[in-house]
Amino acid sequence: MRMNWPRVITLVALGFGVLACRENITAPAQCPDFCPPERITVVDTILSGIVTGDSSFRGYAVAEDAPVFQLVSEGSVVETRGITRFRPFAEFSVSGGDTLVSVDSIRVTVDVLRRDTMVQDLEVVLYRIPATVDSATTYADLDPYFQDSTRLTTFAVDDSLTGSLEIDFPASLYPGIGPDSTQATIGWALRAPAETFLDLTTGESGQFPLIARHITVLSAIGDTVSTLIGGEFADFDTFVARSGAPLADSLLVVGGVPSARTILRFNLPARIRDSSDILKATLVLIPSSPAAAASGDGGTLRALAVTRDVGQKSPRGEVINFVPGSGAVAVLGGATDTVFLDVTNIMATWTADSILPTTLFLSAAPEAGRMFELRFFSSRTVDAPLLSLSYVPPFLERR
Amino acid sequence: MVGRWVVIVAAVVTLPPPAVAQTSVYSVLGLGYPGRAIGVRTRAMGGGLAALDPGSALNPGAVAAYRQLSASATSTSSFRDYEVDDISATGLLDTRFAYASLGGPFGATPFAFGLTFGTYLDRTYDVVDAGDVIISGDTVPYNEQISSDGAVIDLRGAVAWQALSTLRIGAAIHILSGTTENEFFRDFADSALAPLRREDRVSFNGVGGSVGVMWDAKPYLRLGASARFNGSMRVKLTEDVEFGRTDLPREFSGGVFFAPVPDLRVASTVIWRSWSRSRSGLAASTTLNAFDTFEVGNGLEILGITGFPLRLGFRWAQLPYSPTAEQPREINLSFGTGIGLASGRTTIEFALERVMRDGGGAKERAWLVSFELRVTP
């Protein structure tokens, strides 16, 4: 048979044409001998002197605005007292034919958020305090009212309690609360065999403390009925601490009540700021004193980016592209260890957007709700903050 | 009619994606893997015809041998395996638009022109690697993929003069240009670290010039020689950041074509290139060695047996870059043929090559299949 060469060549060409549609050139490298000359270089370094401006300011959040108030037991270094002023009771309204016999007792209800379950036999002590308390009231101002003569009750906290505290005391101990409309203001203290704390909700959390009255009524048909009426919300709740250390110029302070924040300004080298890829950035802070907190408690130190730097009034933004474990670190009370705070995501935004100020805030969480305070050495000391940084420079290394 | 369809089909299937490189494990070294700006007929003859072929980009003097306007396009498919130490890769496949030419006489004058477009340096690779890196004091394993797609192209414009009936002289300008799209991807074993992706584009620019001569010493003996001088090549990043200049090699070649009987043709070409000059443009930190290269190509063309030309070739060449003191080399064993269609105005050339590259710690084996479509209007 005679070969049709044009057809053969066409078929061969078609075959290779089909093969030409596929490509597979991905192969393992044998580095460094048979590796591309351009490589990604990771720079792992610790930058000192990179924080060029730092200062602390107190008053960003106050206790009465916090969603929690922390009762720290009597005798603790950071002992606190709670204050709750309830809205005035409404007038009694008894059904037709019924007769009010007596106001028997008062019930105060509040939710417990956290406690140290290692410490047991806690007692909550309630005191009758004047309704004139306000945000200026100090721990010492309450001394005259935290006496046996004004004590309403001492309530033993169940060791297994996790929900609400319901504390009853005789109405006779609060003479102003009776048939007529009046207002109750309660002072709180915590007693325990060892230093400990209770975190209680405030109205700012949406879980308002409540006050109500047990009354006895004689009905029209001659029965005597006891009932609970008139729950009222707290309209002012806060707590005050026995002592508060002042700010010191050489130190950076975060947390406390009212809360302090620290502003840190970084002078990033141009080779890093200009399009580097930040793999990991860790702020290294050296404590000047043990972390202050209620015994068994601690808190969270957070880093917050800002979109504009106008000093202590800078608007704070949440961490962009937040991932778990980034931008926050838990610190236990009493800890003296160096604090390592992950600021990778914040620094990544700085290298991606040259307009953003290289400034961040350090704050505690929750703010002003706990007796949690950290103090660090500032840039004006030899133990200034450091930045541990792993980054990839914008230009590739050519081997 | 059948011939027209053959031409159309072949033209379509032999035009692969618009890339101009031929990959090799040696592409990752230095400036890349040197390309071969030759036609498929010359490939089939082991490159032996390179110094005497008007359709190849080596000798501008040969351009005067064009009798009529001619255009060609070439595609080459590569099927590769390689071993480097304990690593082996098999089944690698790629197809590239490797070479194109256009040339012909200026009317009835003794002058002719030739334009060629071919790979000067191939910089295409896609490799995966693993390693570890210190991040904040911790050793973190990673997987990495590094790819580069592109090449440095040699665009040559040549003019030749038929000075005597037996003597042709030519000169050419070479514009070296090209870009590589590089992509780097690194995925860390620590999920808290975001994967790293980096892309950049590197561009290359340079110029060169060449001169050549071709002399018909006898009716059955043709000799050719050429010399090429390149300037330095500028290497720039995407944003016009120049980060290097590299000296390119000088090149000298000589060839002989011998036809003892009408149906037997023998050709041989020798080329020397001073690639060691380029070492100064490589990073000082590299341990890479750059060598001058010799290349010898020999080919045989037999006519009159099957009605189609049968071509055989043997080529031995040194490669310019090595990570060790040993200079790599390659051997090509080639076979090819061609067929004229459309009353001889269209030609399809075919070449099959077995390539063996060794040295510097690597061993590479490849089959290359090339097609060329040449049209003479």
Side-chain angles (χ1 to χ4, degrees):
Chain A
M1 191 177 81
R2 188 169 178 270
M3 188 76 78
N4 186 335
W5 282 105
R7 185 164 297 171
V8 169
I9 289 180
T10 303
L11 291 174
V12 171
L14 273 172
F16 282 101
V18 171
L19 286 175
C21 295
R22 297 168 51 217
E23 180 169 279
N24 174 27
I25 61 170
T26 304
Q30 174 66 344
C31 295
D33 286 350
F34 281 86
C35 252
E38 298 89 3
R39 300 305 306 269
I40 291 174
T41 306
V42 175
V43 179
D44 194 53
T45 185
I46 294 179
L47 300 172
S48 59
I50 191 169
V51 175
T52 55
D54 52 359
S55 54
S56 299
F57 305 96
R58 194 181 289 284
Y60 281 94
V62 292
E64 57 263 36
D65 294 330
V68 58
F69 78 82
Q70 185 168 57
L71 273 185
V72 181
S73 59
E74 292 177 353
S76 299
V77 176
V78 291
E79 177 189 336
T80 65
R81 289 169 172 168
I83 299 171
T84 304
R85 183 177 63 210
F86 296 96
R87 294 194 308 183
F89 285 116
E91 290 186 8
F92 281 111
S93 175
V94 181
S95 306
D98 292 351
T99 306
L100 175 65
V101 176
S102 62
V103 177
D104 303 323
S105 63
I106 307 292
R107 170 170 290 182
V108 173
T109 304
V110 66
D111 289 340
V112 176
L113 280 178
R114 295 168 64 247
R115 59 176 296 191
D116 182 1
T117 55
M118 299 299 291
V119 180
Q120 301 183 339
D121 301 325
L122 273 61
E123 291 180 330
V124 172
V125 186
L126 300 187
Y127 295 93
R128 186 179 73 241
I129 62 176
T132 53
V133 290
D134 58 21
S135 58
T137 300
T138 66
Y139 181 95
D141 292 339
L142 296 176
D143 279 347
Y145 311 105
F146 276 62
Q147 305 295 331
D148 288 344
S149 58
T150 55
R151 188 175 67 227
L152 297 172
T153 186
T154 300
F155 178 81
V157 178
D158 191 317
D159 291 338
S160 61
L161 176 75
T162 57
S164 298
L165 279 176
E166 291 183 343
I167 305 173
D168 294 330
F169 57 87
S172 59
L173 294 178
Y174 211 126
I177 301 178
D180 299 329
S181 175
T182 188
Q183 187 170 28
T185 306
I186 304 294
W188 304 71
L190 180 66
R191 291 177 183 166
E195 293 186 12
T196 189
F197 69 94
L198 270 183
D199 281 357
L200 306 175
T201 61
T202 69
E204 281 67 25
S205 71
Q207 296 170 278
F208 289 86
L210 290 171
I211 192 167
R213 292 170 291 183
H214 282 283
I215 62 172
T216 300
V217 176
L218 179 62
S219 70
I221 60 174
D223 292 338
T224 301
V225 179
S226 183
T227 187
L228 183 65
I229 64 165
E232 294 291 347
F233 298 124
D235 67 358
F236 177 75
D237 43 11
T238 186
F239 68 109
V240 291
R242 182 163 63 179
S243 61
L247 300 181
D249 182 58
S250 61
L251 299 179
L252 306 175
V253 183
V254 176
V257 182
S259 75
R261 290 182 192 167
T262 288
I263 187 170
L264 297 178
R265 295 186 176 92
F266 293 78
N267 182 20
L268 278 182
R271 69 179 187 280
I272 299 174
R273 185 78 197 268
D274 183 14
S275 304
S276 289
D277 285 307
I278 304 298
L279 291 177
K280 190 168 187 179
T282 305
L283 186 59
V284 181
L285 300 163
I286 300 173
S288 63
S289 58
S295 179
D297 196 20
T300 300
L301 175 66
R302 295 193 304 172
L304 301 168
V306 296
T307 53
R308 283 179 295 137
D309 183 358
V310 290
Q312 65 187 97
K313 293 182 179 178
S314 294
R316 71 183 170 98
E318 291 302 324
V319 178
I320 300 170
N321 296 328
F322 184 84
V323 293
S326 176
V329 62
V331 180
L332 284 176
T336 56
D337 297 335
T338 299
V339 173
F340 298 93
L341 179 59
D342 189 334
V343 292
T344 304
N345 290 324
I346 292 175
M347 289 209 61
T349 63
W350 293 349
T351 58
D353 186 346
S354 61
I355 297 176
L356 286 176
T358 53
T359 301
L360 61 78
F361 273 97
L362 300 179
S363 76
E367 282 196 290
R370 290 187 204 162
M371 294 305 295
F372 172 67
E373 184 173 289
L374 300 172
R375 289 173 177 255
F376 303 106
F377 288 108
S378 72
S379 62
R380 295 169 291 285
T381 68
V382 294
D383 292 318
L386 305 171
L387 186 67
S388 174
L389 188 62
S390 297
Y391 69 97
V392 178
F395 295 106
L396 298 168
E397 176 193 25
R398 291 177 61 81
R399 294 185 302 114
Chain B
M1 187 67 182
V2 172
R4 183 178 301 170
W5 280 108
V6 168
V7 170
I8 293 171
V9 170
V12 170
V13 300
T14 57
L15 286 179
V20 283
Q22 199 61 54
T23 52
S24 165
V25 67
Y26 294 95
S27 294
V28 301
L29 301 178
L31 296 178
Y33 175 77
R36 299 173 68 196
I38 56 177
V40 169
R41 180 186 177 213
T42 303
R43 270 185 178 273
M45 295 178 69
L49 205 56
L52 304 145
D53 177 15
S56 296
L58 187 65
N59 183 358
V63 168
Y66 271 122
R67 299 294 179 204
Q68 52 193 329
L69 188 63
S70 176
S72 71
T74 300
S75 80
T76 298
S77 297
S78 164
F79 306 83
R80 284 188 301 131
D81 303 330
Y82 71 75
E83 296 175 12
V84 183
D85 294 338
D86 55 343
I87 288 180
S88 64
T90 60
L92 304 177
L93 165 66
D94 63 276
T95 298
R96 295 292 185 266
F97 175 44
Y99 184 66
S101 69
L102 172 69
F106 288 113
T109 70
F111 294 96
F113 75 96
L115 300 173
T116 58
F117 175 87
T119 303
Y120 188 71
L121 288 164
D122 164 45
R123 295 178 57 81
T124 299
Y125 48 79
D126 186 351
V127 295
V128 291
D129 187 27
D132 48 51
V133 64
I134 304 294
I135 295 179
S136 295
D138 297 326
T139 301
V140 181
Y142 65 81
N143 290 315
E144 186 172 58
Q145 183 165 8
I146 308 169
S147 64
S148 169
D149 189 8
V152 179
I153 299 305
D154 181 4
L155 181 62
R156 187 199 72 162
V159 174
W161 174 40
Q162 180 90 36
L164 300 171
S165 62
T166 58
L167 182 65
R168 301 170 180 90
I169 300 170
I173 293 177
H174 298 258
I175 297 174
L176 299 171
S177 178
T179 59
T180 57
E181 305 282 348
N182 302 321
E183 185 170 324
F184 305 81
F185 178 75
R186 182 175 287 186
D187 192 15
F188 296 97
D190 183 351
S191 60
L193 297 172
L196 190 61
R197 184 181 297 277
R198 181 66 62 82
E199 296 175 356
D200 67 23
R201 175 185 295 177
V202 179
S203 66
F204 305 87
N205 293 99
V207 294
S210 62
V211 293
V213 60
M214 194 162 75
W215 177 45
D216 293 339
K218 299 287 183 184
Y220 52 83
L221 180 65
R222 176 175 288 175
L223 304 175
S226 69
R228 173 172 173 174
F229 301 90
N230 296 304
S232 60
M233 184 167 67
R234 290 188 302 171
V235 185
K236 288 183 175 180
L237 279 179
T238 309
E239 296 170 353
D240 287 342
V241 179
E242 182 170 318
F243 66 71
R245 278 179 177 267
T246 301
D247 289 332
L248 293 176
R250 293 166 183 148
E251 176 184 293
F252 298 95
S253 71
V256 57
F257 176 83
F258 179 55
V261 293
D263 289 341
L264 177 63
R265 298 164 180 175
V266 180
S268 182
T269 292
V270 178
I271 307 170
W272 178 83
R273 296 182 177 100
S274 57
W275 280 106
S276 62
R277 287 163 47 87
S278 66
R279 179 62 184 86
S280 61
L282 304 178
S285 58
T286 183
T287 57
L288 200 68
N289 294 296
F291 301 92
D292 296 339
T293 63
F294 264 112
E295 175 178 338
V296 181
N298 303 287
L300 189 68
E301 186 175 53
I302 304 169
L303 305 173
I305 297 178
T306 63
F308 301 99
L310 294 180
R311 298 170 187 135
L312 299 172
F314 172 81
R315 174 176 173 263
W316 178 89
Q318 294 172 313
L319 299 179
Y321 300 111
S322 173
T324 69
E326 180 191 23
Q327 183 172 14
R329 63 275 170 196
E330 73 177 343
I331 292 173
N332 298 44
L333 301 176
S334 55
F335 162 80
T337 187
I339 184 171
L341 302 167
S343 303
R345 286 196 284 186
T346 300
T347 305
I348 295 177
E349 305 282 4
F350 162 77
L352 175 66
E353 294 173 88
R354 178 59 171 170
V355 183
M356 293 158 279
R357 303 183 183 111
D358 294 275
K363 173 183 175 184
E364 186 171 48
R365 299 290 180 265
W367 288 101
L368 304 182
V369 181
S370 301
F371 283 96
E372 177 182 333
L373 177 67
R374 189 168 62 245
V375 178
T376 304

